[in-house]
Amino acid sequence: MFSSTGRISGSTLAHNLHQSNIPVLLTEARSYLGGNVKSHRTEDGFLWEEGPNSFATQPSIVRIAYELGIADQLVFADESLPPWVNFGGKLHPLPKGQGGKGPARQLELVFGPNGVLKFGLVGDLLSWPGKIRAGIGAFVAHSPAPENKDETIREWV
């Protein structure tokens, strides 16, 4: 028997082991599964997701959704739009290019309509010291995170 947590990675591992007929015990300290990923519905019916990361449309995600019988519940974002972050009660668009490789796509990511330059100069998600540090970080490598400690975004910014 294998024991796993009920967070996203642990739940995925438990599902894959169960599919291979390996007994699994799924445990979670919280009253819900999913770890930091949670779904919310407002009183007027708007559904939004909360969590540290989003996921791209990957074959493994779609496969598990089909296996669990919830593929009809998948909602995919419009890839032409930027991702958004809710901070301080306000939505902030994050920089986003149109994808692809090569110099033209890199220039578009920096100078495009949802590019890094607009995000840094016009956006108010980062403080001015954070904007300066991000600008420096774009041109100069920053020191690695301390050993045996994950660096939080707050510490980095």
Side-chain angles (χ1 to χ4, degrees):
M1 176 165 62
F2 180 82
S3 179
S4 177
T5 68
R7 296 179 180 170
I8 293 297
S9 296
S11 296
T12 303
L13 175 62
H15 171 74
N16 289 331
L17 290 172
H18 178 75
Q19 293 294 98
S20 298
N21 295 318
I22 297 173
V24 178
L25 174 63
L26 188 63
T27 61
E28 178 56 50
R30 300 176 188 181
S31 62
Y32 59 91
L33 297 176
N36 293 330
V37 178
K38 295 167 55 175
S39 297
H40 302 274
R41 187 173 302 276
T42 63
E43 291 179 10
D44 58 353
F46 181 74
L47 179 67
W48 61 281
E49 307 295 331
E50 177 182 311
N53 298 304
S54 61
F55 59 84
T57 308
Q58 299 175 6
S60 59
I61 297 289
V62 176
R63 175 187 58 84
I64 289 175
Y66 273 100
E67 289 174 2
L68 295 174
I70 59 171
D72 61 329
Q73 297 178 41
L74 290 176
V75 178
F76 299 105
D78 183 340
E79 293 293 327
S80 68
L81 299 174
W84 295 77
V85 170
N86 183 349
F87 180 75
K90 182 180 176 187
L91 288 174
H92 303 269
L94 296 179
K96 179 170 180 10
Q98 296 302 314
K101 296 181 179 178
R105 292 300 183 201
Q106 291 172 346
L107 287 172
E108 191 265 335
L109 177 60
V110 173
F111 299 106
N114 294 319
V116 174
L117 192 60
K118 179 179 178 184
F119 173 77
L121 295 176
V122 179
D124 56 356
L125 180 60
L126 297 179
S127 64
W128 275 104
K131 291 177 184 187
I132 292 168
R133 181 164 178 191
I136 291 170
F139 297 104
V140 179
H142 60 79
S143 59
E147 288 188 38
N148 300 324
K149 181 183 179 298
D150 289 332
E151 184 178 32
T152 66
I153 291 178
R154 182 175 295 228
E155 291 168 336
W156 186 85
V157 172

